[in-house]
Amino acid sequence: MPIPEITPAELARRLAGPPESRPVLVDVRFPHEHEWVALPGSVLMPLPELEDFHEQLEAFRGRPVVVYCHHGVRSLDGAAYLIDRGLQAVSLQGGIDLYSRAVDPSLPRY
């Protein structure tokens, strides 16, 4: 089954909406990548350590979750992991790199 994805434009639209309808942002990159650039309000949960965040992930149950990485590859695995655990997760298409090019050019690219 394909992993659902969200476009950068759709994510920007949802982030601009009312606070109660905004998705949780989960960054599955490594800490040094997150320090370089991150979507505001995102939570860092590196993909290799995702299962260690069980309790924190449970707090997201019933809320939409957008998983992102650099180019949208690792986030597919992260979203699949969350979906397998019953969470409402999608992957950010093209990752933070495409988001910075398509939505917010003030975000540094690497």
Side-chain angles (χ1 to χ4, degrees), residues 10-83:
E10 176 62 17
L11 176 58
R13 187 185 70 73
R14 290 187 188 181
L15 291 174
E20 63 275 2
S21 66
R22 291 179 192 154
V24 174
L25 300 174
V26 174
D27 183 352
V28 294
R29 298 173 301 150
F30 292 105
H32 69 277
E33 293 174 286
H34 186 81
E35 289 173 15
W36 178 254
V37 60
L39 294 177
S42 63
V43 179
L44 177 63
M45 297 181 178
L47 186 60
E49 302 165 19
L50 203 50
E51 65 186 40
D52 296 339
F53 291 94
H54 175 75
E55 286 182 31
Q56 197 169 358
L57 290 169
E58 280 302 311
F60 303 152
R61 192 165 296 283
R63 297 180 62 195
V65 178
V66 175
V67 181
Y68 76 93
C69 63
H70 188 198
H71 287 117
V73 178
R74 289 174 281 179
S75 60
L76 289 169
D77 289 337
Y81 178 84
L82 298 184
I83 291 167

Side-chain angles (χ1 to χ4, degrees), residues 89-104:
V90 298
S91 173
L92 177 58
Q93 186 180 58
I96 196 168
D97 187 68
L98 183 57
Y99 190 90
S100 69
R101 287 185 285 133
V103 173
D104 186 354

